[in-house]
Structures are given as C-alpha cells and as structure tokens.
Amino acid sequence: MNIGFDAKRAYHNSTGLGNYSRTLINSLAEYFPEHEYYLFNPKFSSKFEMPPKANIHEIRPSGYLSNLFPSMWRSNGIKKDLKKNNIDLYHGLSHEIPLGIQNTKIKSVVTIHDLIHERYPGQYSAFDIKIYNKKFRYACEYADKIIAISNQTKQDIINFYKISDEKINVCYQSCNPIFSKKVSEDDKQNIKKNYDLPKEYFLYVGSIIERKNLLAICKAQLLLKDTLNIPLVVIGNGGKYKAEVKSFIYKNDLINKVIFLSEHKHAGDEGYKSAKDFPSIYQSAIAMIYPSTFEGFGIPVLEALFSKLPVITSIFSSLPEAGGDAAFYVDPTNAEEIAKGMKTIYFDHQLCENMKHKGWLYVQNFTAQKCATSVMNVYKGLW
C-alpha cells in the first residue's frame, strides 16, 4: 500500500503536532516495512529530517504556482501529486485533509488532536476560530475515518460536530523512543553543566500558554518558599502569557526559582532544538509538573513516565488517560494542591519509587509499536 501523509508538521513543527507526526511515521515505516510512505512537505526545511529509510519518500510541490503558494498546494493542489504517486490512502496528521479528496478514489484518514478552540474560544482570535472550525468540520465530515488521540477528544468530536461514534477510532500516540533509554550519570552531569542546571529541580515542559497553567506552579512555589525552596526548570516558550508569568515571578521575588531554558545561551544548539538533550534533563529532575486545565492527550506526561520520572498532573480532560494509575493528580486551578504534590513527592521517597515503577508499567501501553499497530489497523479497515 502507498500511504501519503500531510508532513508539514513533521518537517517544521517542534511541539506536539510535530512530535506526533515524526513518531508515527517513523514507527509505521519500522514496524510495517512492506508499505511505502510518502511525506508531502509543502516547502523545504532544515529543522527536522526524517530517517533515511528506503520506504520513506519526501514529496514537495512541483511547478511555479505550487511553490509560490505552498499552502494552496497542501490544501488542494496536492491531489494531483497524490494521483501521480499512486497513493492508496492519505492521512491528514493534524486536523485537515485536502479539499475534494472524497471525490477521488483515494481513501482518507484524519487525526483530530483536540477541539480546544471549541471549548475555550476566548483563547483564540476570531479569525483563527473561523479557520479551525471550517478545516476541522470539513475533515471530520469527509474523511473516511477519524483518529482521535484520546477518548476525551473522541467524545468532543461527537458532542461538538455530531459525528457518528462508528466513524471514530481512538488511537493513542507514543513519544520519541529516546525518552525510554536510561542516560548515564556522566551524560546527565554534562547536560546539567551545559545548561547551568541546579542540583535539584522540578520540571515543566510545554508551550507557555494560559491553559497549560505555568502560573499555577509559580503560585505553588510561592506557597513553598519557606519550606521547599526548589527551582523550577521550564522547557517551552510563549508570548503574552509568558510575560504575565514573568511579571508574577518578579513581583514575588522568584527570579532565581524559575529557569527558562529557552532563554539560555545553548537553547539555539542542536541538542536543545532537536530535543536530544531532553532525556538527560528529564532524568535529572525530581518530578514533572503538568497542571494543564485541558489537553487532547499530554505527550510530556508520557515522556516523563518513559523516563521514570514522577508526574504531578491535572485530574481534568484526557490527562488521566495519559497518566493512568502512576501520576499524582491535582486540581490544576488550586495552587495549594500543586504545592502539596511537590512537597509529598520530594519527601516521600517510597511513594516516588512506587510512582516510577507504576509509570514504567503503564507506559508499556503506549510503545511505538503498539501505537503504530492501532493506526495501521485503521488503514487496513479501509483497504
């Protein structure tokens, strides 16, 4: 089978959608080598490269107009290239499919990660909401199958878009396999030295936006200032909300207690941009704190559990699906609960070890092979 993918995020995106795309494509190519995988990339990128496998092929637009307007090629003109490459099935990896693909003989699948713009429209511009609504609804209506990355997302698709339950498959995602590999003490020390990391720290990973709730962790730190004076290391960046968080930090004298790695001199290095250094940073931390108010899934939780790192996360949305019985759950709007979780994990060493053990067992449900197999089963159901 010749399988095509919308590979824009795989080549250009460093956050969740990019990680999902790269991990899934690599896993499918490895565990199902009998198929050919065509990655439709609207323009050249030096940011990410796919591994040199014989069954992975990058396809970029040809012709003057397609190169001049790559977004139009991706949303419409791509159909010519799908036919040219004899694509049997096309997978839109991030919420959209080409216009009119249902009028071709090419089967289509779309992955819907979340409908956060429907739940929290105030966090998006009116223009973005209009575009997202149009693309997401179109994809859900005309794709032959929908993959939801969690039961939470599946239920949202049913509730908001009135899509039939039978059309939607829940296929959990995995994460980069590098997080499951134990890092040597020497490597951890070298990375800590390179990024000027403190001896002990808690860890936050994710875009610095309102729903991911970094401010709540800072409020918890303030509550713990006299009892557990441990810094927080932040992997991620943001704009307006980050400025709000930094304002709180300055006003409450927490400047030395929140370390933004995106502002470090080595944040431009390949090891940071490619996330190659992240397993060392994870495995050197006390715990991951991920108090998001809403997620489609929550890949950083998986990355932490694969790293045998305890996790404090939200009881809301899909995060209990990501953390299973291994995480310490809190109300993300309650800084006192977050502070309690930080204090408990820091001082209760037996609990910590139990969480690491349970976490490792639980994430075996999310190995790259299992997640790729669930997606391949969706493909085979259409072919």
Side-chain angles (χ1 to χ4, degrees), residues 30 43 54 93 102 134 159 177-178 183 185-186 215 252 295-296 316 323 371 375:
E30 178 177 354
K43 57 184 178 181
L93 293 168
Q102 69 274 12
K134 186 175 181 180
N159 292 342
I178 62 173
V183 180
E185 287 302 318
D186 285 346
L215 184 58
N252 292 281
E295 291 293 325
F316 297 153
C371 294
V375 171

Side-chain angles (χ1 to χ4, degrees), residues 92 144-145 167 173 221 301 351:
D144 293 292
K145 272 289 185 179
K167 190 176 183 178
Q173 53 190 316
Q221 280 187 294
V301 172
L351 172 66

Side-chain angles (χ1 to χ4, degrees), residues 108-115 136-137 139-172 321 374-375 377-379 382:
S108 64
V109 174
V110 67
T111 295
I112 302 294
H113 296 263
D114 60 64
L115 296 184
F136 287 35
R137 287 178 182 273
C140 287
E141 182 175 353
Y142 290 108
D144 293 292
K145 272 289 185 179
I146 300 167
I147 288 175
I149 63 166
S150 65
N151 282 301
Q152 173 68 64
T153 296
K154 177 176 180 176
Q155 198 56 52
D156 281 351
I157 295 168
I158 293 170
N159 292 342
F160 284 105
Y161 295 163
K162 311 306 178 189
I163 300 294
S164 168
D165 174 276
E166 289 77 18
K167 190 176 183 178
I168 309 167
N169 289 76
V170 174
C171 297
Y172 288 117
E321 293 181 64
S374 69
V375 171
N377 287 339
V378 173
Y379 297 165
L382 291 172

Side-chain angles (χ1 to χ4, degrees), residues 82-100:
L82 297 179
K83 294 175 183 177
K84 180 180 176 182
N85 288 278
N86 297 313
I87 299 302
D88 300 304
L89 182 147
Y90 180 83
H91 188 166
L93 293 168
S94 53
H95 310 117
E96 53 187 302
I97 56 174
L99 295 171

